[in-house]
Each structure stands twice: as structure tokens, then as C-alpha cells.
């Protein structure tokens, strides 16, 4: 049976429009996707950024819940990875060092001597090829990028394709694919920040979060996992039932101290038979705006925006202050190459990297 939306929008895709030019002279474009229920999001070819995301509240009032910038300049100088695709390897790798099949590998060290989010010029700083498409019940863009051999220290030419599909079920599908001609670590994620009051409208401490994770990976003072998989039970990291983010964030807890709040990878509890597991459920109780995150990935980084300090001036001139946005980054575990006990992130020639994450936008009663 084909799904025939009764109220399909007049236009699911806007025309691509120029958004600016990088210092290297590359033209950056923006495109907007819409669905039958009035959800709209805009995507940039720069960094594959989701720049805006308009979601309704219980009364049907839409606000833009994605942290982002009005101009390309904001993205060129951004250090918070607002809305961007992150790679080759998201999160931290200790000292940017690892051994791949017996060979030592040194990656760019861009965060206190460690490798973070792909290095100095990760995928968030690349201009991607962007191809829009339309279906009866959805619209989307295919973003593609070729990361050359030696890029930020990574071996092999990596061909990456990320597809965003916004459907009439109010789901945003993010499908990641990659192939390489040499063995390389790969761990891609989407680094969007949500504030379900609307970006620039206060903090996220009243948002209610559920994480389908009975364990997390505690970190050291460099925010890198120690290797332990620790049960969340009895700690402020227990989000297996809904909790306000602010409810326990100020507790005297060693892990909260090291993370400066929540900045940790949670180990998703898979359910037999599901391709994608429910990882997270976020709700802003006053408006009812919510998002459920499903993924094929084994982990999710919950980052409560602890490094936002007001220096990034976002859309509409709003400075993004402390904890005014939160990220839920589906991923393999941080520093996986240095923890053989963690699921491997090595991609071999001839194999295909494939992961999927779905953000289901809902309005809760
Ligand atoms: C990390 C934070 C980091 C931030 C960069 C997050 O994914 O978990 O530690 O500061 O990205 O803005």
C-alpha cells in the first residue's frame, strides 16, 4: 500500500540558495526541506550542517529548536560543531594515537593534545556535494564528501555519503555510508544541539531525558573513557526513567565533576530483533515538544552544553550561554581504537560502513 499524504506541502524542497563563500572560494549552498505537517529544516553544504529545525508545540506553534548561525562566518569560526556532521572519528582519541594492524598512527591533535571530532579541519569544515531528492512522502538531501589519503593523519581515501530524509511521519532519517581503500577508523555522527524551547530561549535544564542505557563509559580528566562500562544505577547518570537534566547535574559526583556536567557516552541497551534501538527520549514539558532517537549505533554521547559560554552568537543575535543547548550524538564509543574491548571502528577496504539514526519529532500530551 502506498502512503498518500492528504496534505502534502506545495513544495517539499526549496530552491538551493547560495549561503556564502569560504575563504578558499568554495560556494556554500543552503536548501530547505518541509513535510506534510509543516516541519521544516534547512541544510548547508558546509559541514552538512542542519542549520534550522522548526517543530510545533501542543498549540501548533513552531519554533526553531536547532542551535546555529545566521551567516557562513558563524560556521567558519565555530568551535562547538553546531549542527554539523562530524568525522572521520567523532569524539576523542587519546593523544591522537593508535595502532592500526600493528602500525602506529598519529592523528591531528586539536583538543588539549588529543584528537577531537576529526581534527583541525574535520568533516564539519568541508564543503559537501549536496543532491536534493523528493518522494511522495518525504524529501531529503544526499551529501557526499571525499576525504583524501592522509587527511588529518587518517590513512586511505574515504568516500562518505550521508543522507538526510525528512518524512511525513515526522521522522528525520540520517543514513551514513562510507568506503575506504585502506584500513581506517571511522565513527560518524551528527552534532546538532537541541533547545526545545527554541534556540536562544534559555537553558535546557528543564528538559526531561530518558536514555535507554543501563551503563555508561566513565571518563578521566581529559574526558576520555577509562575503559570501564559502569552501571548507572544509583548514580546521577541513571536516565533509564525520565529525569530533568538539571535535577542532579549539580550533585557532588566525581563523573559530573570530570565532565563539567554531562559529557559522557552511554551504552545503549539493545532490544532483540530491532534494527534500530531506542536510544533517547527528550521532552520539553511546557511546550510538549519532544524527540525520540533511534539508532543502529552502540553508544550515544549526551553532552549538556557545558562548554557553551556565550561567546558564540547564534541566530537572531542570541549568544549561546552555558547549557543552552544539548547534543545527543549517536556513535561508537570514544577512543575505541585504544580499547580493544570496545566495539571496533575500523573500516577495511571492500567493506561498507553503514549506520542509521532516526530522530522522531513528537508532541507529547
Ligand atoms: C564533546 C564535548 C566537546 C564538544 C565540542 C562534544 O561532542 O562531548 O566534550 O566540548 O563536543 O563542542
Amino acid at each position: 500500500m502506498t502512503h498518500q499524504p492528504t496534505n502534502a506541502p506545495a513544495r517539499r524542497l526549496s530552491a538551493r540558495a547560495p549561503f556564502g563563500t569560504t575563504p578558499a572560494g568554495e560556494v556554500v549552498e543552503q536548501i530547505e526541506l518541509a513535510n506534510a505537517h509543516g516541519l521544516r529544516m534547512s541544510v548547508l553544504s558546509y559541514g552538512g550542517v542542519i542549520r534550522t529545525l522548526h517543530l510545533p508545540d501542543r498549540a501548533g506553534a513552531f519554533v526553531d529548536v536547532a542551535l546555529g548561525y545566521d551567516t557562513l562566518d558563524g560556521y567558519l569560526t565555530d568551535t562547538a560543531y553546531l549542527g554539523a556532521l562530524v568525522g572521520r572519528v567523532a569524539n576523542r582519541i587519546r593523544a591522537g594515537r593508535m595502532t592500526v594492524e600493528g602500525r602506529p598512527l598519529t592523528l591531528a591533535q586539536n583538543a588539549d593534545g588529543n584528537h577531537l571530532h576529526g581534527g583541525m579541519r574535520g568533516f564539519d569544515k568541508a564543503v559537501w556535494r549536496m543532491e536534493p531528492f523528493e518522494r511522495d512522502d518525504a524529501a531529503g538531501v544526499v551529501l557526499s564528501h571525499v576525504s583524501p589519503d592522509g587527511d588529518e593523519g587518517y590513512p586511505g581515501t574515504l568516500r562518505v555519503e550521508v543522507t538526510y530524509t525528512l518524512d511525513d511521519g515526522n521522522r528525520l532519517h540520517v543514513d551514513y555510508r562510507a568506503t575506504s581503500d585502506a584500513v581506517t577508523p571511522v565513527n560518524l555522527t551528527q552534532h546538532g544541539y537541541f533547545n526545545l524551547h527554541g534556540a536562544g530561549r534559555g537553558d535546557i535544564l528543564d528538559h526531561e531525558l530518558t536514555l535507554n542505557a543501563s551503563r555508561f563509559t566513565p571518563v578521566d580528566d581529559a574526558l576520555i573513557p577509562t575503559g570501564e562500562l559502569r552501571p548507572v544505577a544509583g548514580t546521577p547518570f541513571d536516565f533509564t526513567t525520565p529525569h530533568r537534566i538539571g535535577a542532579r547535574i549539580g550533585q557532588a559526583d566525581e563523573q559530573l565533576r570530570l565532565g563539567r556536567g554531562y559529557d559522557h557516552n552511554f551504552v545503549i541497551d539493545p532490544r532483540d530483533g530491532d534494527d534500530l534501538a531506542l536510544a533517547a527520549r527528550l521532552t520539553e514539558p511546557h511546550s510538549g515538544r519532544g524527540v525520540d532517537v533511534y539508532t543502529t549505533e552502540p553508544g550515544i554521547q549526551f553532552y549538556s552544553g557545558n562548554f557553551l559560554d556565550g561567546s558564540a552568537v547564534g541566530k537572531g543575535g542570541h549568544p549561546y550561554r552555558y547549557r543552552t543547548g544539548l547534543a545527543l550524538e549517536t556513535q561508537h564509543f570514544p577512543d575505541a581504537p585504544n580499547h580493544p574491548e570496545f566495539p571496533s571502528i575500523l573500516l577495511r577496504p571492500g567493506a561498507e560502513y553503514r549506520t542509521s539514526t532516526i530522530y522522531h519529532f513528537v508532541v507529547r500530551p
Side-chain angles (χ1 to χ4, degrees), residues 208-223:
E208 282 171 12
L209 180 66
T210 311
L211 292 171
N212 180 24
S214 50
R215 293 170 300 168
F216 75 115
T217 51
V219 295
D220 63 12
D221 59 3
L223 282 166

Side-chain angles (χ1 to χ4, degrees), residues 79-81 91-92 116-117 191 193 223 263-264 301-303 307-308 327 329:
T79 55
Y81 302 82
N91 218 305
R92 291 179 174 79
L116 175 65
H117 293 333
H191 208 288
Y193 291 68
L223 282 166
D263 194 355
H264 295 77
Q301 182 86 6
F302 164 38
Y303 170 52
F307 292 110
L308 297 175
E329 307 153 55

Side-chain angles (χ1 to χ4, degrees), residues 237-257:
F237 291 79
D238 189 350
F239 284 93
T240 55
T241 55
H243 280 84
R244 272 191 310 109
I245 289 167
R248 298 165 298 175
I249 202 167
Q251 282 186 13
D253 174 274
E254 177 68 354
Q255 281 300 313
L256 286 173
R257 187 183 67 75

Side-chain angles (χ1 to χ4, degrees), residues 58 283 285 288 363-365:
R58 281 185 208 106
T283 310
V363 179
R364 293 194 229 277

Side-chain angles (χ1 to χ4, degrees), residues 80-99:
Y81 302 82
L82 297 190
L85 291 173
V86 168
R88 287 189 194 185
V89 175
N91 218 305
R92 291 179 174 79
I93 295 175
R94 191 180 302 280
R97 286 179 204 280
M98 71 185 80
T99 306

